[in-house]
Every structure is written in C-alpha cells, then in structure tokens.
Amino acid sequence: MILCTGEALIDLIPQPGGLLRPLAGGAVYNTAVALGRLGARAAFLWPISRDGFSDLLLGPLARAGVDTSACPRTDRPTTLAVVSLAGGEARYSFYDEGSAGRMFAETDLAPLPSDLQALFIGGISLVAEPCGTTVETLAARAAEQGVPVMLDPNVRPFFIADEAAYRARLDRLLGLSAIVKLSADDCAWLWPGADRERIARDLLSRGARLVLVTSGAEGALAFTPRHRAEASAAEVTVADTIGAGDTFNAGILDALSRAGALNRLDDLDEPTLAAALRHAARAAAVTVSRPGADPPWRHELA
C-alpha cells in the first residue's frame, strides 16, 4: 500500500462569464486519486470536513478505490483555493485559516500500516501549523521504520508566512526522504541560480536514492547514485497544468511499486528507472490535456 498524506481542498476554477466551478483538489489529494486510477493500492490520510464539500472530496477517492478509512472527520471548514489561469498555467489564492486540514494534529495519527510500501508527502500541508509538524512527524516515523518517503515540496511562495521555518522543515525532510521530486520552479526558489543536475547530486549525497526534476514541456530527468534517465514531454494540446506534477508523482510510485522496486531503491536499475519515468510522463500528459486535475485511468495508458 502507498499512503498519501497531505492537503485535500476545493479548487474554484474560473468558467466563462466569471463563474467559479468547485472541483476536488490539493496536490497530495490529486496524487492519491491518480494512484487509485492507475490501479495502485493507495490510501489517503487527511482530515475531511463534514461540510457541503465532503462528498465532492470523498467521491473521487472512493471511485478510484483509495482507502480513506483513516481520515479524521471534523466540523471545521474545507480549505478553498481560488484558481486563476494565465496561458494555461495555474495560480492559486488559498483560504485556509482554521480549516479541517490545517488543524491536522499528531493525535490524529494512527500506527503505520504493516503493509506500507511508501509514504508520499508534500504541498502546502508542509507550510502551516499544526499540520506541518504532524506530517513531518509521520514522515520521520516512516523513515525510522524503513518505509521510503517520497517528497514533492510543490512550493507555493505566496502561501509561506515564515520562510525560515519552512526552509528548515524542508531541509529536515529532504534529509530523510528516499525519493525527491522537484519542479523547475521548486529548484529556482529553493536554490536560486543552481544547476539542476548539481541540485540532484547534492540531494543524493545526503541520502536520497532517487531525485526527479520536471520541467514542463522540456520533459523530466531522474537521477540515482548510479544512473541518469530522461523522458521527453508528450506533445499534447494543453488545457491547463492543474494536477500535472501530482499525476507524475503517482506515475512514478505506481511504476516502481509494480516493478517491486520501492523496497530496493538502492538496486534500482536503469531500465526500470527509464520505464518509470516514461510512465509518469505519459500519465501527466493526459492530465494536462484536459481541464482541471483529471488524471488518467490505467486503461487510458494501454
């Protein structure tokens, strides 16, 4: 089982005439849905409000076969993200104060499942408190038990109130994560002016076993201590980029899980790495070809 822990929220997507359409979203939530649609055994852990958005959030997870039995239920409101689009690129304004997810506490954590293959974390759930500390605590427990942690910071600078504290948290998480995925924007914000390959090599020297760097239409790179792989972005008509990186994450985890490689990342061979990268890139291409975070089902990649 792959456990995804991080934000579930409602994206308010602009429509013709100035209307906003509510869609289930959140970086980690999108990855959980994508994993389920790809046929992976996936679970999701995040507080879910009892407000009018709960069915909108739980429905896609249920239809994708994602286990939500560990999700705490609360009367606090669901986080809202107002989306603006410029040239197909998504930008977000968040309404999160006192929300269900933001108040995710360590008391909400249960013991890790005995069949856990990997823990996926990232997104804005790492920024605010107390949820940021809760996710970090879970990640530390997983790493201590030998469960590989995958981290996608998915940095949203406008959401960060205390940059020093956030950077310190990311530094700790980068030190315990077995798989790190970074976008070109993440690299530019975290290490301004640094070469992406140098960034990857530095993270590998700190203990990461696999580092992934995505660059939109320029494709994606993957690095291990012994191998380097590259995948070109598929040529598609872009509807928007919402959920593209989240789907890429699911594709990587799905491919590595099916190859039996999540428990042997130190021995990850080049053919398995290249195949996983291609699988992730194909899945992400489907997502960008249609509006919103709408990842592919496995049959769509056949």
Side-chain angles (χ1 to χ4, degrees):
M1 175 186 291
I2 299 169
L3 176 62
C4 299
T5 299
E7 70 272 14
L9 51 82
I10 297 297
D11 284 326
L12 298 174
I13 310 294
Q15 302 293 299
L19 299 177
L20 294 173
R21 180 187 179 193
L23 294 174
V28 180
Y29 174 93
N30 292 337
T31 295
V33 171
L35 276 167
R37 289 188 179 187
L38 291 173
R41 286 189 62 231
F44 184 64
L45 172 59
W46 194 248
I48 301 295
S49 175
R50 297 187 184 94
D51 65 16
F53 292 117
S54 61
D55 289 345
L56 193 58
L57 288 170
L58 291 173
L61 291 166
R63 289 189 289 275
V66 178
D67 182 356
T68 58
S69 60
C71 291
R73 301 303 300 273
T74 173
D75 292 326
R76 294 183 178 274
T78 300
T79 298
L80 302 178
V82 179
V83 181
S84 60
L85 299 174
E89 293 289 330
R91 296 291 183 266
Y92 302 84
S93 299
F94 293 95
Y95 297 84
D96 186 51
E97 193 69 35
S99 71
R102 183 162 183 169
M103 302 312 293
F104 186 37
E106 291 185 48
T107 53
D108 293 321
L109 297 177
L112 292 168
S114 59
D115 60 346
L116 189 60
Q117 290 181 292
L119 171 67
F120 175 76
I121 61 170
I124 65 169
S125 61
L126 304 178
V127 180
E129 296 293 353
C131 62
T133 293
T134 304
V135 175
E136 183 178 352
T137 297
L138 181 65
R141 290 179 185 176
E144 287 168 4
Q145 294 181 31
V147 175
V149 176
M150 179 174 179
L151 168 68
D152 175 9
N154 200 12
V155 178
R156 304 297 187 199
F158 49 81
F159 191 76
I160 301 167
D162 187 339
E163 182 177 328
Y166 175 67
R167 285 182 177 273
R169 168 163 291 140
L170 282 188
D171 187 65
R172 294 190 297 272
L173 290 172
L174 289 167
L176 61 79
S177 296
I179 305 173
V180 179
K181 184 294 209 62
L182 300 163
S183 68
D185 287 345
D186 291 336
C187 291
W189 191 84
L190 289 166
W191 303 281
D195 176 79
R196 295 170 198 173
E197 298 211 16
R198 174 62 182 273
I199 290 169
R201 296 299 173 192
D202 286 347
L203 291 173
L204 292 170
S205 72
R206 293 188 58 184
R209 312 321 297 155
L210 171 60
V211 178
L212 305 145
V213 182
T214 60
S215 302
E218 297 177 19
L221 297 171
F223 303 87
T224 74
R226 293 184 298 155
H227 304 296
R228 179 188 187 279
E230 185 171 353
S232 301
E235 293 187 12
V236 296
T237 299
V238 176
D240 60 53
T241 60
I242 300 171
D246 312 326
T247 303
F248 180 92
N249 295 331
I252 286 290
L253 288 167
D254 174 57
L256 293 179
S257 175
R258 289 177 185 276
L262 284 174
N263 62 353
R264 54 175 184 85
L265 289 171
D266 283 333
D267 299 320
L268 189 58
D269 58 71
E270 192 168 7
T272 301
L273 176 63
L277 197 60
R278 289 194 301 270
H279 180 62
R282 287 180 62 211
V286 174
T287 299
V288 302
S289 72
R290 47 203 194 193
D294 186 7
W297 297 85
R298 188 160 194 86
H299 68 83
E300 295 182 274
L301 301 181

